[in-house]
Amino acid sequence: MNLSSSYLLSLTTFIYLGAAALYMIHWIFRVRQVGVLATVVTVGGFLVQTAGIILRWTESYRLGYGHAPLSNLYESLVFFSWVTILVYLVIEWRVKRRVIGAFATPFASLAMAYASFSPKVADSIEPLIPALQSNWLLAHVITCFLGYASFAVACGLGIMYLVKMKGAHHDEKPESVIGSLPRLKVLDDLMHQTIIFGFLWLSVGIITGAVWANQAWGTYWSWDPKETWSLITWFIYATALHARFVRGWAGQRIAWLSIIGFLSVIFTYFGVNFLLSGLHSYGSG
Amino acid sequence: MKKTATYSQENPVIRFFSSVHLAIFLLIALAVTSIIGTIIPQGQSQQFYLDNFGPTMSKLTKILHLNDTYHSWWYLSLLALFSTNLIVCTLKRLPFTLKLFKKDNLAVSSDYLTRMPYKRIWRVKDGVLDNELMQKLLSTFQKKAGSFQKKPNVDGGTLFLVEKGKWSYWGLYGVHLSILIIFLGAVFGSFYGFKGRIMLMEGETTDHAVRFDTAAPIPLGFSIRCDHFFVSFYDNGAPKEFRSDLTILEKGKEVLHKAILVNDPLEYKGVTFYQASYQAIPEVTIRVASSTGIQRSFIIPAFQKVSWPESSMTLALLKYIPNIHGVPAARIWIGDGTGQGHALWVLQGRTEKYTRGDTTYELSLVSASERYMTGLQVKKDPGVWIVWLGCTALILGFAIVFWVPHRRSWLWVGPKDGETQVILSGQTNKNKIHFEKDFRELEDSINSVLGNQ
Ligand code: HEM
């Protein structure tokens, strides 16, 4: 059988689902070896997925209309999941806390599962229509998704924060399920770092989108629903960044903002395509 | 943020406009109200809102300008308030940042150094720290940490300081001011620029565009001609390329040719022409043979009337279908010059009869072709460079806020508690993990110089 990109990418879906399950087991039963295995599986999945993406790229050239695999919903979901894993692995490597994986890898596996199994998402390689024939497409999509992936991880950290906070009163022992989560201060710091990182890339994403729109249509901003929703998302994270400078707005509200912000990301990404109409609607399908 | 003494006599207006509370309120308000314009269709007629949302909502739409939410008085007021907030907040922070920036980090005591988050103290036996070892110590410090400043007579010893990234406090000003710069560019562009469109048939020339908002003609100051328009498709039917070959003319002289594509516009004298749309305009050749023995052929383009004065006849193309039962067909209107007339379908390969008075005409479709009309979006926006400047400042500011830390590494050498001590200490305002790693390396190198004294 010919090794095809869709084969590798569907395989990735299962690897990531397995990794997420391993991270969960590692967290709940606190077995160190399972955690190490989870990391190994995640890195393996990441390599398989990278190969899948590169293969898909070469396949598009063989079809005669080569372009980077970032042009439709399927490809963007795959890329989203790829960056989420990348951002997570960097955090794991720097912070050395595998528990975070239980809250971060599920986003990547869900994105892959949705891309692979939803009948709404076509995985065929399509040629680029004129509006998409621009190098700004690459810059725009890559930067936006770096932002989105960081926000997914920040959302995971926000959920961890709330879980830790709710359970903190009756379950403080370091070997318990709640106790094994990082301290609130550490989570708050990480969440803030991740949100700033995501915010930086979302800003670059919005700006590259504006430059591109200006080149393709002659307006850098036209209040199209997708643009507007990315701005709404941007406002939410700007709120989260400033919330820590207001007395009484402790980590808990920032954790909620991080979750709401990610819901807004999801709506910007899918909701706008499926529920509202606009310039970006070619992204659906 | 450093909490500074809140002056009770501070002007309440300034306090209100500089508060982060207001910023948070405005950010949330903008996020929530921005949703409205993505749900209610924008730019529709009053009747549309009445039909779709009922009388109450339609009235509300009118009062709150929800048909153009993002340019409504209240949305713009929110943005204005937001800008004021930013300006006042920035001005108010300026003195604190200046103080931080000018702060002399050599003006510290040796005790202060021992209270830093990163520190190491070596006790050196008397007489061991001679000139040679001191030189070695300093060159190691310089090699690992960077070039240092020196201050003698600090608590009886000597203080050395390596300070980096002090200027990074200004990064946040880049971020905050960039928002104002972007607003400024948008306002400037909306006052001194325009947006419009031009529809041009192949071969046609024009010297003005039509404004989007008011439909008023805007003179360009030069002429533009469409030489050709091309469209091509992929095998699956999706469009592959739209292209217009354009020529700019000054006083009738050709000065510039360019083929524009969707992502590759033409700019001339601050006006930019974008490939936005196209229309295929059919053109048919009709032969009319009258029973009096006269025969003539007419080329009838869409949207134009062709007349045949001798027979007091006008012909027009009402509709064109490239393929009916394998042949092209045209619906032709034949007028008698008084506004009266008759429409009939003419299919290629067949003749249609039309009788007026006692003359009968036989019409046949000789050939049909399509001419293209290109749709150009035309824009002049002198503010766009201000917007890009703001965007650049935003990103640079961010990169600084995120990545450039203000790092200080001190080295103090002197007598303390009856012995000679070497104190190394460090501080950073961000990226502590990275700093700690560098600090430990520095510590190890100094440790090997001092030889575990
Ligand atoms: C959408 C516009 C804005 C953006 C993108 C923005 C961005 C930022 C960023 C990235 C930070 C640094 C956060 C951190 O290091 O943790 C920050 C801090 C801050 N911002 Fe804004 N901001 C905006 C609007 C405002 C407004 C309107 C105010 C007015 C009060 C404001 C006041 C502050 C203050 C006081 C700080 C803390 C500075 C410090 O570290 O001492 N910001 N802002």
Side-chain angles (χ1 to χ4, degrees):
Chain A
M1 195 190 89
N2 242 342
L3 203 57
S4 75
S5 67
S6 18
Y7 174 74
L8 287 181
L9 292 174
S10 346
L11 186 63
T12 312
T13 311
F14 294 104
I15 302 179
Y16 284 167
L17 285 170
L22 287 171
Y23 276 118
M24 289 280 181
I25 294 171
H26 163 67
W27 170 42
I28 294 172
F29 300 103
R30 293 168 308 284
V31 187
R32 210 192 87 82
Q33 288 86 339
V34 178
V36 177
L37 183 64
T39 304
V40 172
V41 171
T42 308
V43 172
F46 184 73
L47 294 178
V48 172
Q49 193 181 21
T50 310
I53 291 173
I54 294 173
L55 203 58
R56 189 177 169 94
W57 201 333
T58 57
E59 279 166 12
S60 77
Y61 275 91
R62 224 173 302 139
L63 284 170
Y65 31 72
H67 57 79
L70 293 170
S71 67
N72 61 20
L73 187 58
Y74 174 81
E75 292 173 347
S76 66
L77 280 165
V78 170
F79 186 66
F80 168 76
S81 128
W82 187 81
V83 189
T84 305
I85 293 292
L86 183 64
V87 170
Y88 166 68
L89 284 175
V90 170
I91 292 183
E92 185 188 299
W93 174 60
R94 285 185 48 158
V95 186
K96 313 248 176 328
R97 298 300 291 261
R98 293 212 168 83
V99 209
I100 300 171
F103 293 82
T105 51
F107 290 107
S109 23
L110 286 179
M112 278 312 290
Y114 182 63
S116 305
F117 305 126
S118 167
K120 271 189 174 166
V121 186
D123 69 349
S124 55
I125 301 178
E126 300 292 343
L128 290 182
I129 60 168
L132 298 182
Q133 294 163 8
S134 167
N135 286 332
W136 289 104
L137 168 71
L138 278 191
H140 179 53
V141 176
I142 290 174
T143 49
C144 279
F145 278 85
L146 263 170
Y148 290 177
S150 317
F151 292 146
V153 175
C155 174
L157 289 164
I159 296 173
M160 282 174 92
Y161 190 97
L162 294 178
V163 170
K164 174 91 181 177
M165 220 187 65
K166 290 274 178 301
H169 313 295
H170 45 82
D171 210 353
E172 280 287 20
K173 290 186 288 298
E175 67 280 5
S176 66
V177 170
I178 301 293
S180 65
L181 296 176
R183 279 178 300 121
L184 286 181
K185 175 79 187 62
V186 174
L187 285 174
D188 182 50
D189 239 33
L190 265 179
M191 199 159 60
H192 183 69
Q193 292 280 320
T194 320
I195 290 178
I196 290 203
F197 185 74
F199 193 64
L200 164 68
W201 288 113
L202 178 65
S203 307
V204 181
I206 293 177
I207 291 171
T208 48
V211 174
W212 181 17
N214 189 56
Q215 195 185 59
W217 297 299
T219 22
Y220 52 82
W221 195 261
S222 46
W223 294 105
D224 134 278
K226 193 120 181 165
E227 283 172 359
T228 309
W229 268 96
S230 67
L231 189 67
I232 292 169
T233 307
W234 194 75
F235 284 141
I236 296 174
Y237 286 108
T239 311
L241 284 184
H242 290 84
R244 55 179 5 223
F245 298 108
V246 174
R247 235 174 312 166
W249 275 56
Q252 189 191 359
R253 292 201 206 182
I254 299 176
W256 276 113
L257 279 170
S258 165
I259 295 168
I260 295 170
F262 189 61
L263 291 179
S264 175
V265 167
I266 293 178
F267 191 80
T268 309
Y269 191 13
F270 302 111
V272 173
N273 288 352
F274 294 136
L275 301 176
L276 310 171
S277 62
L279 292 172
H280 281 80
S281 42
Y282 51 73
S284 65
Chain B
M1 183 170 67
K2 303 254 172 342
K3 277 273 163 290
T4 44
T6 32
Y7 307 113
S8 49
Q9 72 269 34
E10 187 188 34
N11 187 333
V13 177
I14 292 185
R15 191 161 59 210
F16 173 76
F17 279 111
S18 67
S19 82
V20 184
H21 283 95
L22 179 64
I24 298 235
F25 167 77
L26 288 173
L27 284 167
I28 295 177
L30 283 168
V32 171
T33 55
S34 295
I35 299 175
I36 297 173
T38 68
I39 294 171
I40 299 179
Q42 300 288 288
Q44 303 289 337
S45 69
Q46 207 52 47
Q47 190 61 38
F48 173 89
Y49 299 107
L50 191 62
D51 295 346
N52 287 278
F53 298 104
T56 319
M57 268 305 288
S58 145
K59 210 175 206 166
L60 202 64
T61 304
K62 187 163 182 179
I63 296 170
L64 296 179
H65 285 265
L66 299 184
N67 58 329
D68 191 9
T69 310
Y70 307 108
H71 301 101
S72 64
W73 53 268
W74 57 268
Y75 195 83
L76 293 179
S77 306
L78 278 180
L79 290 180
L81 202 54
F82 190 67
S83 310
T84 315
N85 191 192
L86 259 174
I87 294 171
V88 178
C89 171
T90 302
L91 288 178
K92 196 177 141 190
R93 278 172 46 89
L94 205 57
F96 304 136
T97 312
L98 266 176
K99 218 161 89 191
L100 214 55
F101 183 67
K102 286 198 181 141
K103 185 178 165 198
D104 182 6
N105 282 296
L106 279 167
V108 295
S109 68
S110 57
D111 282 342
Y112 176 81
L113 297 185
T114 60
R115 292 197 301 269
M116 284 289 107
Y118 306 98
K119 59 183 170 287
R120 172 75 186 263
I121 302 170
W122 290 269
R123 292 158 217 287
V124 188
K125 278 197 220 80
D126 275 341
V128 171
L129 195 61
D130 55 10
N131 246 344
E132 191 188 339
L133 193 57
M134 190 68 198
Q135 282 311 317
K136 230 170 133 191
L137 178 65
L138 288 182
S139 73
T140 305
F141 187 54
Q142 177 156 22
K143 209 166 86 210
K144 283 282 167 187
S147 54
F148 53 77
Q149 298 162 268
K150 176 178 171 183
K151 188 177 175 191
N153 303 327
V154 176
D155 299 332
T158 314
L159 181 65
F160 304 90
L161 165 69
V162 175
E163 191 170 19
K164 280 181 181 161
K166 199 177 198 180
W167 54 273
S168 65
Y169 291 111
W170 299 110
L172 197 59
Y173 285 80
V175 174
H176 284 149
L177 290 179
S178 69
I179 308 286
L180 296 172
I181 299 175
I182 292 171
F183 283 167
L184 187 76
V187 171
F188 189 78
S190 73
F191 275 111
Y192 295 100
F194 64 79
K195 287 193 186 94
R197 76 169 77 88
I198 291 179
M199 299 297 292
L200 268 186
M201 288 289 293
E202 286 175 307
E204 246 177 23
T205 306
T206 185
D207 59 3
H208 66 268
V210 178
R211 275 188 91 99
F212 270 137
D213 44 3
T214 60
I218 325 159
L220 295 173
F222 53 87
S223 298
I224 182 162
R225 185 178 72 213
C226 173
D227 298 318
H228 282 293
F229 176 84
F230 302 91
V231 54
S232 59
F233 298 90
Y234 293 107
D235 294 340
N236 68 359
K240 182 177 185 178
E241 184 178 273
F242 303 125
R243 191 181 103 206
S244 298
D245 289 350
L246 302 177
T247 300
I248 300 282
L249 302 111
E250 288 270 16
K251 301 197 182 75
K253 276 229 292 286
E254 299 183 0
V255 291
L256 186 67
H257 291 286
K258 181 174 161 82
I260 65 166
L261 305 174
V262 173
N263 272 295
D264 185 14
L266 159 67
E267 185 170 354
Y268 185 71
K269 289 199 169 164
V271 184
T272 318
F273 300 88
Y274 299 85
Q275 182 66 58
S277 62
Y278 77 98
Q279 273 178 36
I281 307 289
E283 188 177 86
V284 293
T285 308
I286 297 284
R287 185 167 57 231
V288 186
S290 90
S291 52
T292 59
I294 309 171
Q295 218 189 67
R296 270 194 69 171
S297 288
F298 300 94
I299 298 174
I300 317 174
F303 312 130
Q304 282 177 43
K305 276 186 187 150
V306 175
S307 53
W308 184 9
E310 294 92 319
S311 306
S312 58
M313 182 185 281
T314 48
L315 296 164
L317 176 61
L318 293 181
K319 201 164 181 176
Y320 170 74
I321 298 175
N323 192 339
I324 291 186
H325 311 306
V327 293
R331 189 153 174 83
I332 301 292
W333 188 81
I334 308 177
D336 60 6
T338 67
Q340 300 291 326
H342 181 71
L344 48 92
W345 278 105
V346 185
L347 272 71
Q348 195 163 41
R350 285 179 36 189
T351 52
E352 286 299 324
K353 286 201 171 56
Y354 165 69
T355 311
R356 189 161 78 193
D358 41 9
T359 319
T360 300
Y361 300 92
E362 279 185 0
L363 280 76
S364 52
L365 179 60
V366 180
S367 66
S369 61
E370 289 190 322
R371 273 174 75 198
Y372 285 111
M373 180 149 102
T374 185
L376 304 176
Q377 178 140 317
V378 188
K379 178 205 75 171
K380 181 171 168 177
D381 185 357
V384 76
W385 291 107
I386 305 177
V387 172
W388 296 151
L389 178 77
C391 291
T392 313
L394 180 68
I395 301 306
L396 284 180
F398 258 136
I400 293 167
V401 167
F402 195 64
W403 279 301
V404 183
H406 177 204
R407 291 175 157 200
R408 281 145 285 177
S409 307
W410 291 275
L411 189 70
W412 182 86
V413 184
K416 202 178 170 89
D417 305 333
E419 56 191 352
T420 303
Q421 289 194 1
V422 175
I423 303 175
L424 174 71
S425 77
Q427 194 182 23
T428 184
N429 66 344
K430 61 187 81 131
N431 205 343
K432 305 216 157 58
I433 298 175
H434 195 177
F435 182 74
E436 180 161 357
K437 193 169 140 269
D438 288 356
F439 187 82
R440 294 300 163 218
E441 267 178 34
L442 176 62
E443 187 186 327
D444 288 347
S445 329
I446 290 182
N447 202 41
S448 55
V449 170
L450 294 177
N452 274 322
Q453 294 289 329

